[in-house]
Amino acid sequence: MHKGVVYALLAAALFGASTPFAKPLLGQVEPVMLAGLLYLGSGLGLSFFYGVRALSLRARQDETAGLVGADLPWLGGAIAAGGIAGPVLLMIGLSVTSASSASLLLNMEGVLTSMLAWFVFKENFDRRIFMGMLLIVAAGILLSWEQIPSLGVPWGALAVIGACLCWGIDNNLTRKVSASDAVQIAAVKGLVAGSVNLAIALALGLHLPALPTLATAGLLGLCGYGLSLVMFVLALRELGTARTGAYFSAAPFVGAAISLLLLGEQPGPVFWIAAAMMGAGIWLHLSETHEHDHDHESMAHTHAHSHDAHHEHVHELEWDGSEPHVHQHQHRPMKHAHKHYPDIHHRHGH
């Protein structure tokens, strides 16, 4: 299995599991406060890891490409949409919507992510990818339809869908900086988004919860938001936005399954039919073969790489031969054919 697919599915599992576990916390913490604590826990935890990694004798300082000035507008937009607006809308939606229903509504994130990638950011897709996405969407609709009686007033559902749109924008903007250090990207997003949401909560007169609740929220944020985002950025680097979003659509099924287990319920036939449809859609993506003659334009960028067919460049500075390594490098124009995804080297037109 392609490593980008593994990253995307791990991101989906971590994020999907966070939704049902966040639901009980809403009885103790206001939505805006909880959103701040989740992202702040993510930012602090990843910042600690980032620091330890930088100081470790086993870590090479040149194995990751840090953020540069040109990345900041893209990352700033991603943080505003997905790190600030998205979590608040989700917490508001969760406060009036059941955890299982909210988990299923989160299918919309993959759909909106792909729609934006295909029609706004012009990422390539073919009939197979489109059919796979249709099956994934249909599976989500089937399960969501069964949950309609528990949705109640639609404002909660609309808030969750609004959160999905924010994350769709976030995902497409984050793709622009996905060649940079994934841990650094996720840490910055967590610290900024968490601080802003926490400041808003405190300005509204809300108070921090008790220490056990505070620690639980921080740990949940580190796993469900921080580590999930690291995996997601790595997947964006390898697969592009739409395909990463498609695999990430498995997240609601993880959340729904955990919700059913926590409530002691047994999944009915509709759940298994929808799961089969989801599996078929993911299989269409997994079995994709995309190969054709394509042109690589001259391009200069910085990221961790090993010397392969796309990295046959010389080194202006002394190099000890270690790989992977990081430096700014120039890609020469070339034309060839091989199987590929719309990764950071294959964002060409068709």
Side-chain angles (χ1 to χ4, degrees):
M1 186 181 293
H2 192 281
K3 63 180 179 180
V5 176
V6 176
Y7 291 143
L9 292 177
L10 284 174
L14 287 165
F15 181 73
S18 71
T19 301
F21 284 110
K23 177 69 175 179
L25 293 177
L26 285 167
Q28 308 168 55
V29 189
E30 292 295 326
V32 176
M33 175 66 75
L34 182 56
L37 294 178
L38 289 171
Y39 260 107
L40 201 56
S42 162
L44 291 173
L46 290 177
S47 295
F48 176 77
F49 173 77
Y50 183 81
V52 171
R53 187 187 64 180
L55 296 173
S56 173
L57 295 177
R58 293 173 299 175
R60 295 175 54 87
Q61 292 183 351
D62 60 348
E63 282 186 347
T64 54
L67 292 164
V68 297
D71 296 331
L72 298 183
W74 299 112
L75 184 59
I79 291 173
I84 298 175
V88 172
L89 286 171
L90 177 61
M91 293 306 108
I92 292 173
L94 273 176
S95 66
V96 293
T97 305
S98 69
S100 59
S101 297
S103 294
L104 298 173
L105 286 168
L106 288 174
N107 274 293
M108 290 301 298
E109 179 181 350
V111 178
L112 294 171
T113 293
S114 296
M115 293 298 104
L116 289 170
W118 292 339
F119 300 112
V120 177
F121 291 90
K122 307 302 181 183
E123 186 174 302
N124 170 65
F125 70 99
D126 55 26
R127 184 179 301 174
R128 190 181 192 87
I129 292 298
F130 183 71
M131 290 301 297
M133 178 57 74
L134 283 182
L135 280 171
I136 292 169
V137 173
I141 292 175
L142 182 61
L143 276 173
S144 299
W145 184 266
E146 189 181 41
Q147 295 289 331
I148 282 178
S150 66
L151 293 179
V153 180
W155 292 114
L158 291 175
V160 175
I161 293 172
C164 292
L165 176 59
C166 290
W167 283 320
I169 296 171
D170 174 4
N171 295 337
N172 279 278
L173 296 181
T174 301
R175 183 202 186 198
K176 298 288 188 178
V177 300
S178 59
S180 300
D181 184 354
V183 174
Q184 185 183 24
I185 291 171
V188 170
K189 179 180 286 189
L191 288 174
V192 175
S195 298
V196 170
N197 282 317
L198 186 60
I200 293 173
L202 294 175
L204 293 173
L206 304 178
H207 300 286
L208 290 172
L211 187 57
T213 303
L214 196 66
T216 301
L219 182 60
L220 181 60
L222 174 60
C223 296
Y225 285 66
L227 295 180
S228 175
L229 180 56
V230 171
M231 295 295 106
F232 195 89
V233 172
L234 293 174
L236 285 174
R237 184 184 303 171
E238 302 290 339
L239 302 177
T241 313
R243 288 161 179 79
T244 300
Y247 290 119
F248 194 75
S249 294
F253 281 82
V254 176
I258 292 175
S259 298
L260 292 171
L261 290 173
L262 290 177
L263 295 173
E265 299 175 358
Q266 294 295 323
V270 172
F271 183 90
W272 296 114
I273 293 171
M277 294 171 65
M278 169 70 76
I282 290 178
W283 175 81
L284 284 172
H285 284 257
L286 283 173
S287 57
E288 173 195 11
T289 299
H290 184 74
E291 180 175 357
H292 60 89
D293 282 329
H294 55 275
D295 292 302
H296 289 271
E297 297 179 355
S298 179
M299 174 177 62
H301 63 176
T302 305
H303 66 92
H305 64 277
S306 299
H307 284 204
D308 54 24
H310 296 97
H311 295 94
E312 297 177 349
H313 51 260
V314 298
H315 291 77
E316 297 179 359
L317 302 176
E318 185 178 351
W319 173 46
D320 61 6
S322 62
E323 292 184 335
H325 59 281
V326 172
H327 61 89
Q328 186 177 45
H329 52 278
Q330 182 78 34
H331 287 272
R332 61 181 177 82
M334 62 186 299
K335 182 175 184 177
H336 61 179
H338 61 90
K339 295 179 181 178
H340 60 278
Y341 289 93
D343 56 28
I344 58 175
H345 295 107
H346 297 93
R347 295 176 179 174
H348 49 260
H350 289 74

